[in-house]
Amino acid sequence: MATTEALPAAELLARIGRMADRSLPLWGLSPAARATLINHSENVTYRVDDPATGSRSILRVHRVGYHSQEAIRSELQWMEALRREAGVETPEVIAARDGSAIQTLRSPELEHPRHAVMFTFLEGKEPAEDELLGPFERLGEVSARMHRHAAGWTLPPGFTRHVWDFETAFGPNPTWGRWQDSFGVDKPVLEILGRLERTLGRRLERYGKSRERFGLCHADIRLANLLVDGTRTKVIDFDDCGISWYLYDLGTALSFIEHRPDVPDLVQSWLRGYGKVTRLSREVEAEIPTFIMFRRLLLVAWIGSHAETELAKSLGAPYTQGSCQLAETYLGKFG
């Protein structure tokens, strides 16, 4: 998968930042408008402030080679449908002066052009990690509304998104790269995570992809992609939305906190919220640990293939070692 130019991360971000600032007139912003970096993972995301009007917005500059323009358009279509038809608060797209939702940015400092989208700025804060039971219940309810909408939504012509299943995660051409190539993967790690991968494959095949279990979902609905504003829970960053098991969304909600001792309580809180919209069978609920570990192993791969990001650097080999400990517990029950 093509990703970025062969530049040190700091230099690459500096060049993308200059390109972002130069692009702001495309959206009718004043010469005084500036883009401030707020996140770098798959994409580079900026808060845009225009002192001439007092406006604030969010600019997302896409990673090279991750999504086609058609895939980005599909993402935006679902976000709009969720706002309009399911009561899910998502950012709105701000069209450029030429009326288009997606711009292609170019810079003489960069080899590859990049797609970019401007969104409205939503008020709210990421949930605090020491007060998650309430947010997880609301997240469960929001997730259920999203899944119910997806199950009944007719995909627009040309709709295309990533598929997040066992083959795309751990097959010969994995979307996020091979977990085997990540930080700290030695012979003992290969053995235990290899057993985990094989067990996940068997259980997911048995679980199946029936329509009530598998469909369009957010696929990255973790704490960093939620905004809590009073009693309102807003959902942002649909960049990974795609076709997967609906329970995968619960696995993603626990991203990077799978080791916490209160995870069973968080799961129950999520299920209470989900049950306000639709009930899950005991058979489905019993497989929740599988989707938590499916996501965990995917994140080991992501960290290895995104080693230039600050998040990957901060996690590194300890995250792989922690994954082995969680795998041992999981395999003791399901292996």
Side-chain angles (χ1 to χ4, degrees):
M1 180 180 66
T3 52
T4 60
E5 286 84 354
L7 293 168
E11 177 61 24
L12 178 64
L13 286 174
R15 295 185 185 194
I16 294 174
R18 289 192 287 269
M19 180 179 68
D21 273 332
R22 289 194 297 269
S23 75
L24 299 181
L26 294 172
W27 285 274
L29 297 173
S30 78
R34 289 295 178 267
T36 302
L37 177 70
I38 57 175
N39 186 52
H40 172 218
S41 56
E42 288 296 347
N43 309 309
V44 187
T45 307
Y46 300 90
R47 187 191 74 235
V48 177
D49 297 281
D50 190 346
T53 62
S55 68
R56 176 171 288 182
S57 54
I58 297 294
L59 176 65
R60 183 178 68 189
V61 180
H62 281 260
R63 186 180 181 92
V64 174
Y66 192 57
H67 285 309
S68 66
Q69 191 165 348
E70 292 74 18
I72 298 169
R73 184 174 296 108
S74 299
E75 170 202 356
L76 304 180
Q77 288 173 322
W78 192 40
M79 291 174 63
E80 180 183 0
L82 286 171
R83 283 197 312 276
R84 185 178 63 246
E85 301 167 8
V88 177
E89 293 191 68
T90 68
E92 296 182 41
V93 175
I94 299 174
R97 294 177 65 183
D98 64 5
S100 64
I102 305 167
Q103 290 288 303
T104 300
L105 309 185
R106 293 175 172 83
S107 168
E109 294 186 289
L110 295 167
E111 179 182 355
H112 303 291
R114 285 162 167 78
H115 298 308
V117 180
M118 189 79 78
F119 296 98
T120 54
F121 181 89
L122 295 185
E123 297 291 343
K125 295 182 179 180
E126 178 183 333
E129 288 201 10
D130 58 348
E131 298 178 357
L132 290 183
L133 289 179
F136 256 73
E137 183 168 341
R138 284 181 279 171
L139 174 58
E141 183 177 355
V142 169
S143 298
R145 293 208 306 268
M146 292 169 63
H147 297 164
R148 183 173 63 182
H149 177 271
W153 191 47
T154 301
L155 299 182
F159 190 93
T160 179
R161 294 297 300 172
H162 284 319
V163 175
W164 300 103
D165 62 8
F166 186 81
E167 182 70 13
T168 60
F170 309 123
N173 188 30
T175 302
W176 279 352
R178 291 166 18 101
W179 62 263
Q180 293 91 337
D181 299 327
S182 194
F183 294 97
V185 178
D186 55 17
K187 188 173 181 180
V189 170
L190 283 172
E191 192 278 327
I192 187 170
L193 294 187
R195 284 198 291 125
L196 173 64
E197 180 188 307
R198 292 189 293 274
T199 301
L200 292 174
R202 289 193 298 269
R203 296 195 70 88
L204 290 171
E205 183 176 9
R206 186 160 58 245
Y207 185 77
K209 296 179 178 178
S210 61
R211 183 165 182 170
E212 64 271 18
R213 296 182 178 183
F214 192 84
L216 182 59
C217 61
H218 185 284
D220 193 25
I221 198 162
R222 56 194 175 96
L223 299 180
N225 291 333
L226 299 179
L227 294 175
V228 175
D229 183 13
T231 59
R232 299 157 64 185
T233 300
K234 306 170 186 179
V235 186
I236 62 174
D237 195 359
F238 282 69
D239 185 58
D240 282 324
C241 74
I243 311 301
S244 188
W245 295 278
Y246 293 130
L247 273 190
Y248 179 56
D249 267 350
L250 175 52
T252 71
L254 294 164
S255 295
F256 309 117
I257 61 170
E258 307 95 335
H259 61 284
R260 286 174 44 144
D262 62 347
V263 161
D265 296 330
L266 296 177
V267 168
Q268 288 304 311
S269 185
W270 188 92
L271 288 171
R272 281 195 299 274
Y274 204 93
K276 294 177 182 179
V277 178
T278 184
R279 301 289 298 180
L280 296 175
S281 69
R282 290 185 179 180
E283 179 187 8
V284 168
E285 289 187 16
E287 212 59 61
I288 287 173
T290 294
F291 289 96
I292 295 174
M293 292 309 300
F294 176 75
R295 173 66 169 187
R296 178 82 185 204
L297 192 56
L298 254 176
L299 289 176
V300 174
W302 185 91
I303 289 168
S305 61
H306 294 69
E308 77 281 1
T309 66
E310 290 303 318
L311 179 57
K313 292 176 184 177
S314 69
L315 294 165
Y319 192 80
T320 302
Q321 291 298 323
S323 301
C324 291
Q325 296 169 15
L326 291 172
E328 290 276 20
T329 301
Y330 173 82
L331 291 169
K333 184 175 182 180
F334 296 98

